[in-house]
Amino acid sequence: MVSRSYSNLLDLTSCGSPSFGREKKRLPRVATVAGVLSELDDETGNSVGSDTPSSVSQERMIIVGNQLPLRAHRKDNGTWEFTWDEDSLLLQLKDGLGDDVETVYIGRFDRSLWQAYVSVNKIFADKVMEVISPDDDFVWVHDYHLMVLPTFLRKRFNRVRLGFFLHSPFPSSEIYRTLPVRDELLRALLNSDLIGFHTFDYARHFLSCCSRMLGISYQSKRGYIGLEYYGRTVSIKILPVGIHIGQLQSVMSHPETENKVAELKNQFRDQIVLLGVDDMDIFKGISLKLLAMEQLLLQHPDKRGRVVLVQIANPARGRGKDVQEVQSETYATVKRINDTFGRSGYTPVVLIDTPLQSYERIAYYVIAECCLVTAVRDGMNLIPYEYVICRQGNEKIDEILGTDPLAQKRSMLVVSEFIGCSPSLSGAIRVNPWNIDAVAEAMDSALMVPEAEKQMRHEKHYRYVSTHDVAYWARSFLQDLERACREHLRRRCWGIGFGLGFRVIALDPNFRKLSVEHIVSAYKRTKHRAILLDYDGTMVQPGSMSTTPNAEAVSLLNSLCRDTKNCVFIVSGRERKTLTEWFSSCERMGIAAEHGYFVRANQNAEWEACVPVPDFEWKQIAEPVMQLYTETTDGSNIEAKESALVWNYEYADRDFGSCQAKELFDHLESVLANEPVSVKSSPNIVEVKPQGVSKGIVAERLLLTMQQKGVTPDFVLCIGDDRSDEDMFGVIMNARASLSPVAEVFPCTVGQKPSKAKYYLDDTSEILRMLQGLANASEMPTRISSLPSH
């Protein structure tokens, strides 16, 4: 509902909502300060500041952008008149959300230093919180102005259904990594459920930054790209925005548009019009385009007097020295070209630098043979889409132009490869705008293309643009947002971190911290216990300079092993020689080496292979391949184990190492297709090992051996920290046939993260504290029996 804090709202008296194929509604109120604009029925809009619900619909989309879709006009009497801005994308996307979805617009805009940027985002968050129903509403945040807003919303509502769309290019990691606040921005975006980009290039830069700076890699599954972030899957959507075709067609049908087309047809009779429509700023490449036009006229004298470049230069959105330089250079270049090649009745470059009405711009689209969009860097840029739709025309336009209404329409596009719409326009001539000769040649080629080919290119573009309009874009984004948020209510969520480092951990509802009191109690009342412990990252802190077990850990293991009710195993990926040396004092402890390939029940037993492997000739195939990638990937190395080969790229460039790892994985799978091995990929490694080898085999073997000895386990503890330990968790969770009906099972992972385990402990110190509790429970009967009797 609309908050009472918006008390200074004005009724609008002379504006209606845009038609866009919808039933017309009045816009009854608007905030005169930063706030909320909600589309209300007349019956509910009369009471300013009312708490009346804004709609009876059950689903709402809250649109958050840096500017509201409004135009403001000050009347002579000093009052303000507000109308919808029909060119605003935020208004147009309503057509894709469905008639039963109410939209609420929230806006304010400010520019300053980083702290001010954060403060403004916080203001947006406060305004969203005043209107949101977190269990029912979707929130869709737009563009770089609001990149940290997802963090503020996620902090307040852990399960908020939140999408973000970036309408601008995302910088490459080489540029982005120089930002002092780079991690804060990335983590803020990752607090969204769905992040949208216009092209894969933009998404690729974002994914690369996440990989290089946060160590988060993406996975593609069934066509969807996702990032696993603290138990949440952040989905990535690549979908270029479209235009509102109905609005363009409506303006084309206006009488003033038809009059303007007739006027322009007469003005440029017997001439071929090339058209550019750009903002007057340094990124649009207007000066480069003008130089290409100059080159065209120099190299092709036959074009003089016949070809005209109409350059519409929209007023600059900013001010300053850069804009002034662009304007000065543009005016000087236009004057030089016109002085050199102009003559009576012919002006080669027509520069229009005054604001145009929509119908005037559309009229230029209609009469132009080719549209040139040659920005050196831009976001999506919808000018080519608008041009294609306008060239399709209508019956009245055809009549004015003297064309056959039944004939196929034609158009040509020359577009920069650095604009977002370029990949979707397969029939356009793509150019590097910095290469003036190439742009001039493209302009000439566009004019020389046969009519039939112009028609074919136009038909291809029109088919795409008309089916991928703004409604399709909005509808598709909402569908993916619903899919991305489907598991929200099922997961347990809680937030960690401070400030912009805040993030939400989402876990299975049954996942909880292991209580030492609970496990010690179960330990005391059980008689046949199986204990499986990973080593690296479990018994020793990850990243520790010393990887050898300390005296405390060895003492704890020996205490557990002395209890005859216990069967204790260390299950590690390390080699058996290393583990034998490290645990030489643990005589009664079992050891599984190389992820379960080698197993030894105790110090007096022989090492056995869990999986029979007739030979290791596959190493002669795999090792040269790994060596090739090692030589070409600085910072990588090969670890040769008795049963496996591991390629490690932990110290390589993160992006390049990841790329090489994917390539190596595919290469090894190909050359080893007929060998009895499996190729596995884990963070920082690619491993080749015999098929069937896993830590799960050790768990199965231990439980089966105990059962065969007539000892049915009634207590199972399994602790690990990485993906290889998940196999053990899976086995003990599904091993009811091998366990006592009343068995207590404790699969426990290190850290709060998605896992098959039911429990977690935060770090190595908590694990050692818990094991100490178990060891004390084992020693207690001995202490009691040793006390003197009275």
Side-chain angles (χ1 to χ4, degrees):
M1 60 181 63
V2 179
S3 168
R4 287 188 181 273
S5 65
Y6 301 107
S7 56
N8 53 341
L9 304 179
L10 298 177
D11 286 342
L12 301 184
T13 58
S14 60
C15 67
S17 62
S19 54
F20 293 2
R22 296 271 188 103
E23 178 186 352
K24 289 192 174 184
K25 293 183 181 179
R26 289 182 64 248
L27 179 63
R29 60 172 92 173
V30 65
T32 59
V33 294
V36 176
L37 172 68
S38 183
E39 187 174 73
L40 307 178
D41 292 335
D42 288 345
E43 290 81 0
T44 62
N46 296 327
S47 175
V48 177
S50 169
D51 277 343
T52 306
S54 60
S55 173
V56 297
S57 68
Q58 296 182 344
E59 193 171 82
R60 292 196 304 175
M61 171 65 81
I62 298 175
I63 307 294
V64 190
N66 69 297
Q67 288 180 313
L68 289 171
L70 291 177
R71 287 177 176 159
H73 171 69
R74 189 161 193 157
K75 297 182 179 179
D76 294 338
N77 61 6
T79 62
W80 288 91
E81 181 182 63
F82 296 86
T83 58
W84 289 109
D85 180 4
E86 298 189 7
D87 291 329
S88 170
L89 173 66
L90 301 188
L91 186 64
Q92 294 173 356
L93 63 80
K94 287 176 59 178
D95 277 19
L97 303 182
D99 291 331
D100 58 338
V101 178
E102 179 196 2
T103 54
V104 177
Y105 289 97
I106 295 177
R108 173 178 169 144
F109 182 66
D110 200 356
R111 278 197 186 110
S112 191
L113 301 176
W114 168 247
Q115 195 55 52
Y117 176 83
V118 174
S119 299
V120 170
N121 276 254
K122 181 64 168 64
I123 292 171
F124 272 93
D126 292 340
K127 299 308 175 186
V128 173
M129 290 171 191
E130 292 184 11
V131 299
I132 189 173
S133 174
D135 293 333
D136 303 316
D137 295 344
F138 291 92
V139 181
W140 189 356
V141 181
H142 290 265
D143 222 2
Y144 66 90
H145 315 85
L146 302 172
M147 287 176 76
V148 298
L149 178 57
T151 290
F152 293 121
L153 296 179
R154 185 70 62 188
K155 184 181 292 186
R156 180 64 181 83
F157 305 111
N158 289 173
R159 290 187 177 87
V160 64
R161 299 188 290 181
L162 176 59
F164 181 94
F165 203 98
L166 184 68
H167 295 275
S168 312
F170 197 94
S172 67
S173 60
E174 286 73 20
I175 296 173
Y176 183 82
R177 68 195 304 183
T178 63
L179 287 176
V181 292
R182 61 190 190 184
D183 287 3
E184 290 89 336
L185 287 172
L186 288 179
R187 292 192 185 280
L189 289 179
L190 290 171
N191 276 323
S192 306
D193 295 299
L194 176 65
I195 307 174
F197 299 91
H198 287 307
T199 71
F200 179 69
D201 270 352
Y202 304 166
R204 179 170 54 84
H205 289 159
F206 171 74
L207 295 170
S208 175
C209 289
C210 288
S211 173
R212 295 175 72 93
M213 289 153 219
L214 302 181
I216 302 171
S217 57
Y218 71 92
Q219 291 183 330
S220 182
K221 185 177 182 181
R222 295 185 178 179
Y224 294 103
I225 298 174
L227 292 156
E228 291 297 324
Y229 187 63
Y230 290 93
R232 297 172 47 249
T233 299
V234 181
S235 297
I236 305 298
K237 184 170 184 63
I238 300 159
L239 182 68
V241 71
I243 60 175
H244 199 291
I245 297 172
Q247 180 188 354
L248 274 179
Q249 291 174 335
S250 174
V251 177
M252 268 198 291
S253 300
H254 288 177
E256 55 259 359
T257 306
E258 297 165 359
N259 293 337
K260 186 65 178 179
V261 170
E263 175 190 324
L264 294 177
K265 181 194 175 188
N266 182 61
Q267 178 183 346
F268 296 105
R269 62 182 180 276
D270 302 326
Q271 293 178 338
I272 299 172
V273 176
L274 305 178
L275 178 66
V277 181
D278 306 279
D279 293 340
M280 185 72 85
D281 68 39
I282 59 175
F283 298 110
K284 302 302 182 181
I286 294 178
S287 296
L288 294 172
K289 187 190 303 180
L290 294 173
L291 292 175
M293 179 64 180
E294 185 176 42
Q295 191 80 345
L296 176 72
L297 297 176
L298 280 171
Q299 295 181 349
H300 302 277
D302 59 305
K303 301 293 190 296
R304 301 171 192 173
R306 295 181 56 239
V307 177
V308 175
L309 171 62
V310 175
Q311 177 61 57
I312 299 174
N314 301 320
R317 299 184 184 184
R319 289 174 291 182
K321 184 179 178 182
D322 288 342
V323 173
Q324 293 173 0
E325 289 178 352
V326 170
Q327 290 174 331
S328 299
E329 186 177 0
T330 299
Y331 296 146
T333 308
V334 169
K335 184 177 185 303
R336 185 179 70 244
I337 296 173
N338 288 340
D339 288 346
T340 305
F341 301 102
R343 59 175 184 259
S344 178
Y346 173 63
T347 303
V349 177
V350 177
L351 178 64
I352 303 172
D353 59 354
T354 55
L356 293 182
Q357 296 293 326
S358 295
Y359 75 88
E360 294 177 294
R361 188 180 77 251
I362 287 175
Y364 278 104
Y365 285 145
V366 168
I367 60 109
E369 279 293 306
C370 179
C371 185
L372 311 171
V373 183
T374 56
V376 296
R377 172 54 70 186
D378 208 348
M380 188 60 192
N381 199 318
L382 298 176
I383 297 298
Y385 289 4
E386 293 179 349
Y387 169 71
V388 168
I389 295 300
C390 292
R391 288 290 287 181
Q392 187 69 13
N394 56 37
E395 289 186 8
K396 187 64 177 177
I397 295 292
D398 290 340
E399 182 182 334
I400 295 170
L401 296 177
T403 57
D404 182 356
L406 300 178
Q408 285 186 296
K409 304 302 191 295
R410 64 183 189 275
S411 64
M412 285 300 299
L413 283 166
V414 174
V415 299
S416 164
E417 61 190 58
F418 303 123
I419 63 175
C421 66
S422 175
S424 60
L425 297 169
S426 57
I429 301 176
R430 296 192 183 93
V431 294
N432 174 0
W434 297 100
N435 188 337
I436 294 169
D437 290 336
V439 176
E441 190 60 34
M443 294 163 71
D444 182 56
S445 298
L447 299 175
M448 301 298 290
V449 167
E451 293 296 300
E453 187 174 339
K454 287 181 181 178
Q455 294 169 354
M456 181 187 70
R457 292 181 186 229
H458 172 81
E459 175 60 27
K460 179 184 286 188
H461 292 158
Y462 182 75
R463 193 183 313 119
Y464 175 84
V465 175
S466 60
T467 56
H468 292 74
D469 61 355
V470 66
Y472 170 86
W473 172 77
R475 188 164 54 247
S476 179
F477 189 90
L478 177 57
Q479 288 171 352
D480 275 14
L481 182 57
E482 289 175 336
R483 178 189 55 80
C485 301
R486 200 170 290 153
E487 295 292 311
H488 274 26
L489 295 179
R490 197 186 70 81
R491 312 301 295 273
R492 288 175 60 232
C493 300
W494 64 87
I496 61 172
F498 299 97
L500 293 178
F502 176 85
R503 60 266 190 204
V504 166
I505 295 175
L507 299 168
D508 189 275
N510 297 319
F511 187 75
R512 59 188 183 275
K513 191 165 187 176
L514 181 58
S515 163
V516 175
E517 291 77 12
H518 176 48
I519 192 172
V520 168
S521 173
Y523 185 86
K524 287 178 179 178
R525 64 176 176 263
T526 51
K527 299 179 179 179
H528 307 296
R529 311 179 190 116
I531 300 175
L532 299 106
L533 306 171
D534 173 48
Y535 180 72
D536 291 286
T538 301
M539 299 298 293
V540 65
Q541 198 74 28
S544 175
M545 292 297 293
S546 174
T547 56
T548 57
N550 58 37
E552 179 191 4
V554 172
S555 174
L556 281 175
L557 292 171
N558 272 324
S559 295
L560 293 171
C561 289
R562 280 194 294 270
D563 190 330
T564 56
K565 298 176 181 178
N566 294 343
C567 185
V568 182
F569 257 81
I570 284 288
V571 187
S572 173
R574 291 185 177 271
E575 295 175 284
R576 55 178 173 171
K577 179 182 177 182
T578 302
L579 295 173
T580 300
E581 293 174 357
W582 284 354
F583 298 103
S584 57
S585 62
C586 302
E587 298 180 0
R588 299 182 59 182
M589 188 178 73
I591 298 177
E594 300 191 13
H595 291 133
Y597 179 74
F598 292 113
V599 178
R600 188 185 71 179
N602 54 61
Q603 199 174 89
N604 297 322
E606 296 294 325
W607 286 99
E608 299 178 37
C610 278
V611 177
V613 178
D615 60 65
F616 289 91
E617 292 184 0
W618 55 266
K619 285 188 176 183
Q620 299 174 16
I621 303 172
E623 191 162 15
V625 176
M626 285 187 173
Q627 190 62 46
L628 173 65
Y629 286 82
T630 303
E631 291 170 357
T632 56
T633 311
D634 188 36
S636 66
N637 62 79
I638 300 172
E639 181 185 356
K641 300 181 180 180
E642 289 184 70
S643 67
L645 288 174
V646 180
W647 186 73
N648 189 307
Y649 60 97
E650 180 179 1
Y651 301 108
D653 175 270
R654 193 182 295 275
D655 260 7
F656 183 56
S658 177
C659 178
Q660 290 288 80
K662 291 175 183 175
E663 187 71 24
L664 173 60
F665 182 89
D666 292 340
H667 196 161
L668 289 171
E669 278 206 325
S670 175
V671 299
L672 297 172
N674 297 320
E675 300 294 330
V677 296
S678 60
V679 183
K680 300 289 185 182
S681 178
S682 296
N684 298 323
I685 67 167
V686 176
E687 182 178 26
V688 183
K689 59 184 180 181
Q691 287 178 347
V693 173
S694 73
K695 289 186 177 181
I697 293 262
V698 180
E700 286 179 357
R701 182 180 176 121
L702 174 59
L703 298 180
L704 182 61
T705 300
M706 292 178 70
Q707 190 179 41
Q708 289 173 345
K709 291 180 178 179
V711 178
T712 304
D714 54 5
F715 176 98
V716 182
L717 170 63
C718 179
I719 308 179
D721 74 309
D722 64 24
R723 193 178 301 172
S724 65
D725 301 306
E726 295 294 314
D727 294 325
M728 288 196 294
F729 299 150
V731 167
I732 68 168
M733 291 286 287
N734 298 302
R736 291 296 171 188
S738 306
L739 304 178
S740 165
V742 293
E744 303 268 11
V745 180
F746 297 93
C748 179
T749 188
V750 183
Q752 303 173 41
K753 60 191 177 189
S755 173
K756 294 177 183 176
K758 288 174 56 180
Y759 303 96
Y760 74 91
L761 288 171
D762 288 329
D763 52 32
T764 297
S765 62
E766 286 199 350
I767 292 166
L768 294 178
R769 195 177 306 122
M770 184 270 296
L771 294 177
Q772 183 67 65
L774 300 185
N776 291 341
S778 283
E779 293 174 358
M780 192 173 294
T782 305
R783 291 173 184 164
I784 292 173
S785 62
S786 63
L787 290 175
S789 56
H790 297 283

